[in-house]
Amino acid sequence: MASSTNKSGNKTKPTPSSSSPNSQDEPPPPSELVNIGITLLGTLVAARILSAVSKLATALAAPLAGLYLMSTCPRDDTFDGKRELKRVLRGENLPENHPNKPKGFLEKALAKVSASIEAEAAAFAGCKVDILDIMGAVKIASIRSPTARKDYYWLGAVNKWRFVMMRDISERRPKKE
């Protein structure tokens, strides 16, 4: 910074000089530094308090959610494999705008008949129903249909069985060495 003198010979306030590289890197006044420090300290304290409250809420909510799931987990005998398979084959689990969902009366009737025939054929061929209990909170039911060569999966939780997915049975066999 360069200082200048006026006509009377008194020095005036320094003016920024373009030749000085540190002209804009002057530290803020001490009062502003104190304000910034207090703000940062307050932010850190607030973050710590929110973190502790969040951990407490999680510590309380997780066991309560687990107890709720355990108390509302459906029993194994409430899963009717044939009925659930018919629902999936009819397309009830598909969203309304899905192209494979039957729309009109005739399409729905044909889908219902087709689903009944396929479900009965799967039952006659000996489809395999497995139910896996996961700590009493949720259950996963699976049906392996040998006629359709597919596996179907349902999730049992909160007093209801919900269809999750369908998967083709692969023909992978282990390689012989």
Side-chain angles (χ1 to χ4, degrees):
M1 288 197 200
S3 61
S4 60
T5 58
N6 58 12
K7 291 180 183 179
S8 61
N10 296 335
K11 287 190 173 185
T12 61
K13 290 184 181 179
T15 59
S17 170
S18 59
S19 63
S20 174
N22 295 333
S23 63
Q24 298 194 4
D25 292 338
E26 289 186 24
S31 63
E32 194 173 328
L33 285 176
V34 170
N35 286 339
I36 292 171
I38 290 173
T39 303
L40 285 175
L41 186 64
T43 303
L44 288 173
V45 168
R48 293 289 300 231
I49 291 171
L50 287 175
S51 173
V53 168
S54 172
K55 288 177 184 174
L56 179 65
T58 302
L60 291 176
L64 291 176
L67 287 173
Y68 176 73
L69 285 173
M70 286 180 191
S71 66
T72 60
C73 188
R75 296 187 324 262
D76 290 353
D77 60 351
T78 61
F79 182 75
D80 185 1
K82 193 186 293 186
R83 186 184 74 210
E84 294 293 337
L85 187 58
K86 283 181 185 180
R87 284 183 183 164
V88 170
L89 294 174
R90 274 195 309 254
E92 283 188 16
N93 63 316
L94 297 174
E96 290 299 322
N97 58 357
H98 196 278
N100 293 340
K101 184 161 181 120
K103 305 271 190 278
F105 173 76
L106 186 60
E107 284 183 27
K108 287 181 181 179
L110 287 174
K112 199 173 204 178
V113 169
S114 173
S116 294
I117 291 171
E118 193 171 338
E120 292 297 330
F124 183 71
C127 65
K128 183 179 176 188
V129 178
D130 289 323
I131 297 179
L132 175 66
D133 187 358
I134 301 175
M135 295 176 28
V138 294
K139 294 183 181 184
I140 298 175
S142 66
I143 295 179
R144 176 165 278 205
S145 174
T147 56
R149 303 192 52 72
K150 296 185 185 231
D151 287 332
Y152 302 91
Y153 297 94
W154 287 264
L155 180 70
V158 193
N159 294 323
K160 192 172 181 182
W161 291 96
R162 292 166 182 81
F163 179 71
V164 177
M165 65 181 257
M166 170 180 55
R167 186 175 77 168
D168 291 331
I169 299 173
S170 63
E171 279 293 321
R172 285 191 240 151
R173 293 185 183 175
K175 294 180 181 179
K176 293 182 181 179
E177 293 182 27

